Amino acid sequence: MLIYADNAATTRLSSRALRAMLPFLEEQYGNPSSIHPLGQAAARALVMARETAARCLGARPSEITFTSGGSESDNQALLTAARLGRKRGRTHLISSRIEHPAVLRTLEALEENEGCEVTLLPVTPEGFVRPASVLAAIRPDTACVSIMTANNETGTVQDIAAIGQICRDKGVLFHTDAVQAAGHLPLDMGALPVDLLSLSGHKFHGPKGCGILYARSGLELTSLIHGGEQERGKRAGTENIAAIAGLAAALEEACTDQAARTDRVRHLRDLLRDALLELPGTHLNGDPVHCLPGHLNVTFDGVAAEALLPALGAEGICASAGSACASGSSLPSHVLLAMGLSPEAARSTLRFSLGDDLTEDAVQQMAGIVAAQVTRLRSLHKKK
């Protein structure tokens, strides 16, 4: 038996994405920069994938740059904002304490190497960045604000529209890491006041190693990789056509009937939440309403995640203790600490992230196994 509840870390590649990829892994192996028939077939596939992604995001094809994933997109977005800001005499950057390491560590590098000053905003106990705190932090020398659309650990969804409008009114660039949200929440770049947006294909049943950086028309991206003229000269290197085709197919699939799938996943998540919260000493982290449909972040008092996870794994339950990017770290989650949890509570927390391939029976079975293992581990702890 295997019950997969770690979709925030990565998702299963969809059959549709795989079918879109296979031709470019087999007979259509041309380089899209070549002018012969095989190369031009690849070039056409690249154009079609860009158009598909743009349509799904309410953007223009020229605003879509294909990258290796969310981390690269975050890095390029923040470096671009910092460099553009410096040209205007602006070196102040604003973000929050709950951002993904791809954002936080890039900001650290910009402080150390680019002479930027960074302000990290606090969050509420539910994990919200208050728009008013963004407004209060903006200064005349602020170049960019970067606030994630939805948190990868708790699933809390930010008021991106309000924060983006504040930035637009103040003439400040706004970047959002939408890696967890893309494919699960509607993202319309024609309506949202967003200048730069990052996403990654493997979070919505596309392939690993492929992502998108949306950049509003008129923004000149700063290159991270120098070389040829691929991606309009803003990302050198032969394009991974197979992965790009798979990403576009997966994104289109995720955006089709998105509301119905979201409702189903939310129902499964609520079943699991209600069952787990019947356990004494169990607490929900994050907001129960303004949250991604499949995310559930739960603290089990007196049970270390490092003991609970292997016990669940032995019974076929795949969950996590937080961000996959922090795997192996002995430090408690910076997200949970920022929300006010103690280090002990943060180390007793698991993240379940459900997909629409689960059944109610599987969710109920998972809840029973988790409850039994939590009870067992608590009993062992008392005997010590």
Side-chain angles (χ1 to χ4, degrees), residues 28-107:
Q28 296 183 32
Y29 51 84
N31 186 321
S33 297
S34 301
I35 62 172
H36 53 62
L38 273 180
Q40 290 308 290
R44 286 193 296 273
L46 181 60
V47 169
M48 291 175 62
R50 202 183 308 278
E51 290 177 347
T52 297
R55 184 171 62 254
C56 293
L57 296 173
R60 302 172 182 173
S62 61
E63 295 174 320
I64 302 297
T65 297
F66 292 112
T67 68
S68 66
S71 292
E72 182 186 331
S73 295
D74 285 342
N75 274 250
Q76 188 169 18
L78 292 171
L79 180 60
T80 293
R83 296 276 174 87
L84 291 175
R86 182 178 295 107
K87 292 179 180 179
R88 302 167 61 196
R90 298 185 175 192
T91 57
H92 180 230
L93 307 173
I94 297 172
S95 191
S96 82
R97 295 176 185 172
I98 62 168
E99 300 298 313
H100 189 275
V103 168
L104 294 176
R105 291 178 184 170
T106 302
L107 292 172

Side-chain angles (χ1 to χ4, degrees), residues 344-375:
E344 181 182 7
R347 290 191 176 97
S348 299
T349 298
L350 292 192
R351 178 188 69 184
F352 302 91
S353 44
L354 311 186
D356 62 1
D357 55 343
L358 285 179
T359 64
E360 289 189 9
D361 286 345
V363 169
Q364 290 168 351
Q365 187 175 7
M366 176 166 53
I369 293 171
V370 173
Q373 290 298 334
V374 168
T375 301

Side-chain angles (χ1 to χ4, degrees), residues 10 18 24 29 31 43 68 124 127 133 185-186 199 210 279 284 374:
T10 196
L18 178 59
F24 305 101
Y29 51 84
N31 186 321
S68 66
T124 69
S133 68
L185 298 178
L199 63 81
C210 190
L279 278 170
L284 176 69
V374 168

Side-chain angles (χ1 to χ4, degrees), residues 185-210:
L185 298 178
L187 296 171
D188 184 354
M189 297 300 97
L192 286 171
V194 170
D195 299 299
L196 296 152
L197 176 141
S198 310
L199 63 81
S200 189
H202 74 110
K203 304 297 187 178
F204 47 84
H205 301 290
K208 299 176 183 67
C210 190

Side-chain angles (χ1 to χ4, degrees), residues 156-179:
T156 298
V157 176
Q158 305 296 338
D159 192 348
I160 292 303
I163 295 171
Q165 191 58 54
I166 288 170
C167 294
R168 189 147 294 180
D169 292 343
K170 292 292 184 178
V172 172
L173 291 178
F174 179 47
H175 164 252
T176 185
D177 177 338
V179 165

Side-chain angles (χ1 to χ4, degrees), residues 33-361:
S33 297
S34 301
I35 62 172
H36 53 62
L38 273 180
Q40 290 308 290
R44 286 193 296 273
L46 181 60
V47 169
M48 291 175 62
R50 202 183 308 278
E51 290 177 347
T52 297
R55 184 171 62 254
C56 293
L57 296 173
R60 302 172 182 173
S62 61
E63 295 174 320
I64 302 297
T65 297
F66 292 112
T67 68
S68 66
S71 292
E72 182 186 331
S73 295
D74 285 342
N75 274 250
Q76 188 169 18
L78 292 171
L79 180 60
T80 293
R83 296 276 174 87
L84 291 175
R86 182 178 295 107
K87 292 179 180 179
R88 302 167 61 196
R90 298 185 175 192
T91 57
H92 180 230
L93 307 173
I94 297 172
S95 191
S96 82
R97 295 176 185 172
I98 62 168
E99 300 298 313
H100 189 275
V103 168
L104 294 176
R105 291 178 184 170
T106 302
L107 292 172
E108 290 176 4
L110 289 171
E111 277 191 307
E112 294 175 4
N113 305 321
E114 302 278 340
C116 294
E117 180 184 350
V118 175
T119 296
L120 295 180
L121 300 176
V123 297
T124 69
E126 298 78 24
F128 290 115
V129 178
R130 297 187 188 278
S133 68
V134 176
L135 177 61
I138 291 177
R139 311 184 320 207
D141 65 337
T142 300
C144 178
V145 172
S146 179
I147 303 294
M148 64 192 343
T149 304
N151 187 262
N152 51 302
E153 295 190 32
T154 66
T156 298
V157 176
Q158 305 296 338
D159 192 348
I160 292 303
I163 295 171
Q165 191 58 54
I166 288 170
C167 294
R168 189 147 294 180
D169 292 343
K170 292 292 184 178
V172 172
L173 291 178
F174 179 47
H175 164 252
T176 185
D177 177 338
V179 165
Q180 289 293 331
H184 307 290
L185 298 178
L187 296 171
D188 184 354
M189 297 300 97
L192 286 171
V194 170
D195 299 299
L196 296 152
L197 176 141
S198 310
L199 63 81
S200 189
H202 74 110
K203 304 297 187 178
F204 47 84
H205 301 290
K208 299 176 183 67
C210 190
I212 286 174
L213 174 57
Y214 160 83
R216 177 178 52 79
S217 293
L219 284 181
E220 187 70 15
L221 290 177
T222 297
S223 298
L224 293 180
I225 303 173
H226 303 283
E229 293 303 310
Q230 294 89 350
E231 293 302 292
R232 302 177 306 284
K234 296 308 176 186
R235 188 184 188 273
T238 302
E239 296 92 344
N240 186 344
I241 300 300
I244 289 170
L247 178 149
L251 184 59
E252 185 173 45
E253 185 176 24
C255 293
T256 302
D257 298 326
Q258 186 179 84
R261 283 198 307 276
T262 294
D263 287 344
R264 183 174 184 280
V265 174
R266 184 181 291 113
H267 170 67
L268 295 173
R269 189 270 316 275
D270 290 350
L271 283 178
L272 180 62
R273 179 197 64 200
D274 294 346
L276 293 182
L277 292 182
E278 290 181 1
L279 278 170
T282 302
H283 315 281
L284 176 69
N285 301 310
D287 190 85
V289 177
H290 301 287
C291 180
L292 289 173
H295 270 61
L296 185 65
N297 190 286
V298 181
T299 298
F300 301 97
D301 291 347
V303 180
E306 64 179 5
L308 181 54
L309 276 177
L312 295 180
E315 302 220 37
I317 306 298
C318 301
S320 71
S323 171
C325 298
S327 177
S329 173
S330 61
L331 297 175
S333 161
H334 72 282
V335 172
L336 298 180
L337 294 181
M339 291 167 56
L341 273 70
S342 69
E344 181 182 7
R347 290 191 176 97
S348 299
T349 298
L350 292 192
R351 178 188 69 184
F352 302 91
S353 44
L354 311 186
D356 62 1
D357 55 343
L358 285 179
T359 64
E360 289 189 9
D361 286 345

